[in-house]
Amino acid sequence: MNILTFDIEEWYTEKVYHGARASRYREFDDTLAKVLDELDRVGCKGTFFCVGKLALEFPDVVRRIASRGHEIGCHSHEHVWINKMTEDRLFEDTTEALKALEDVAGQKVTSYRAPAFSITDKTPWAVKVLAECGIKSDASIFPGPRDFGGFPSFPQDTPCKIEYQGTVMKEYPIGMMSLAGRRIAYSGGGYFRLIPYWMTSRTIKRRDYDICYFHLNDLIAEKRKLRSRADYEAYFMQPGTLKNRLIRYFKSNARTGDTLEKLIRLLTEHQFVNIHEADKQIDWAQVKTISLSSIL
């Protein structure tokens, strides 16, 4: 089973952090149109995890996606990391996002992905909060180390149920591969850009489960500037040292030139479903339940 997902926040983060440049909005619109057309061509419906504020401030973006038959998921309201929030703030953030997304998309939203995969060993309580908000399926666990998130102690990278203090939720963790003695992701973001296509494709063919994740920014062949200290700290909420900004500059710009073509090839050579469809195909009664309390 291969699952296709996108994290959609670019219009909102452009407005908040980068000055609302009309040229960038056009790039996002054009790239989204190309993605939606390709998905129509191959007959694939993906899950698009959208920021709630996107529905309030750029509702046409969410409507365009929903009108093509894709699942709308929640990617928080303001793209704030869960580890930067309290339980009460997460509840407020999620309920606001769900209302905004459902009002615009005209569909019930029950799938969730945290910004920066920030459901970690420090934020297991998020499971209870999200369930209280009506979330049924999560795709926020990255079972390895990564910037701003990651859950290295999480024991598997295939669909499971996660439990915390009596609350159980369906989980779709990011798949991992072995490379040079390390377990790394391969199916989205900078990993998809940096890893040779043949290696990603071969890994997908060998595994019974994959979940790919993309941002529109990953698909735009344009060099991004080195962030200022103030810009970096406002967005990433950590010290904007020159080292941190240079690392982010490299990760944002490395091998962006052909990523859209790689995605089109991926869609042509592999079949995908969205999370809503995967939920119906999996026999959840037979799926392992992982207690988050036991691995903290």
Side-chain angles (χ1 to χ4, degrees):
M1 173 184 295
N2 303 321
I3 301 173
L4 182 68
T5 69
F6 296 85
D7 296 351
I8 306 295
E9 72 258 2
E10 282 84 357
W11 290 260
Y12 171 70
T13 54
E14 170 64 32
K15 178 180 179 180
V16 173
Y17 299 106
H18 304 300
R21 295 165 293 182
S23 61
R24 291 298 283 169
Y25 290 152
R26 287 193 294 271
E27 285 183 314
F28 300 149
D29 287 336
D30 291 346
T31 304
L32 177 61
K34 291 175 183 176
V35 168
L36 294 176
D37 287 347
E38 284 300 320
L39 293 177
D40 281 351
R41 180 181 68 83
V42 299
C44 172
K45 304 302 182 186
T47 296
F48 287 73
F49 292 104
C50 298
V51 168
K53 279 291 187 72
L54 193 71
L56 295 178
E57 300 183 20
F58 301 90
D60 184 60
V61 174
V62 178
R63 289 195 191 102
R64 287 167 63 192
I65 297 168
S67 69
R68 304 287 274 268
H70 300 289
E71 178 187 9
I72 300 297
C74 179
H75 195 40
S76 81
H77 196 48
E78 298 181 323
H79 206 255
V80 175
W81 288 225
I82 288 180
N83 55 13
K84 306 294 183 182
M85 290 193 276
T86 63
E87 295 184 38
D88 288 344
R89 181 69 191 102
L90 177 60
F91 183 86
E92 179 183 359
D93 180 272
T94 307
T95 53
E96 289 176 351
L98 292 175
K99 183 179 187 308
L101 293 169
E102 291 175 352
D103 285 349
V104 171
Q107 59 179 261
K108 188 70 174 174
V109 176
T110 60
S111 300
Y112 184 91
R113 173 172 289 146
F117 298 99
S118 51
I119 293 184
T120 71
D121 56 352
K122 302 294 192 298
T123 58
W125 46 264
V127 173
K128 293 194 67 171
V129 176
L130 294 174
E132 290 171 3
C133 295
I135 297 298
K136 305 297 184 184
S137 301
D138 179 70
S140 303
I141 290 183
F142 188 101
R146 79 181 304 277
D147 293 343
F148 314 114
F151 202 148
S153 63
F154 198 77
Q156 69 182 66
D157 63 350
T158 54
C160 56
K161 292 178 286 189
I162 52 176
E163 182 274 333
Y164 185 72
Q165 295 184 354
T167 297
V168 179
M169 183 174 293
K170 301 169 187 174
E171 180 62 40
Y172 293 92
I174 297 301
M176 309 295 280
M177 65 179 287
S178 179
L179 182 64
R182 297 183 57 192
R183 296 182 74 246
I184 64 169
Y186 58 90
S187 59
Y191 300 96
F192 184 77
R193 286 190 279 113
L194 292 169
I195 294 172
Y197 176 81
W198 66 264
M199 187 178 294
T200 298
S201 181
R202 184 183 67 178
T203 303
I204 289 175
K205 290 176 181 177
R206 290 178 173 179
R207 286 173 53 93
D208 294 328
Y209 162 80
D210 299 273
I211 182 166
C212 295
Y213 64 98
F214 301 97
H215 295 79
L216 296 184
N217 268 328
D218 292 323
L219 309 176
I220 296 174
E222 178 184 355
K223 290 290 185 183
R224 276 156 267 179
K225 295 180 180 179
L226 181 68
R227 291 177 180 265
S228 69
R229 178 185 288 269
D231 180 30
Y232 182 95
E233 292 179 348
Y235 186 77
F236 292 107
M237 301 180 189
Q238 68 167 209
T241 64
L242 180 59
K243 177 182 177 182
N244 285 345
R245 288 183 286 136
L246 286 172
I247 291 172
R248 181 52 48 183
Y249 173 81
F250 170 76
K251 290 183 176 180
S252 298
N253 288 303
R255 297 194 64 177
T256 57
D258 64 345
T259 310
L260 180 58
E261 288 73 20
K262 287 171 69 176
L263 173 58
I264 292 171
R265 183 177 177 186
L266 189 78
L267 295 174
T268 302
E269 297 180 357
H270 301 273
Q271 292 185 324
F272 292 89
V273 298
N274 60 27
I275 285 179
H276 178 71
E277 293 167 333
D279 276 347
K280 294 186 292 185
Q281 293 181 25
I282 295 173
D283 182 359
W284 288 99
Q286 303 300 316
V287 171
K288 180 180 180 180
T289 299
I290 296 174
S291 169
L292 297 185
S293 298
S294 69
I295 57 176
L296 300 180

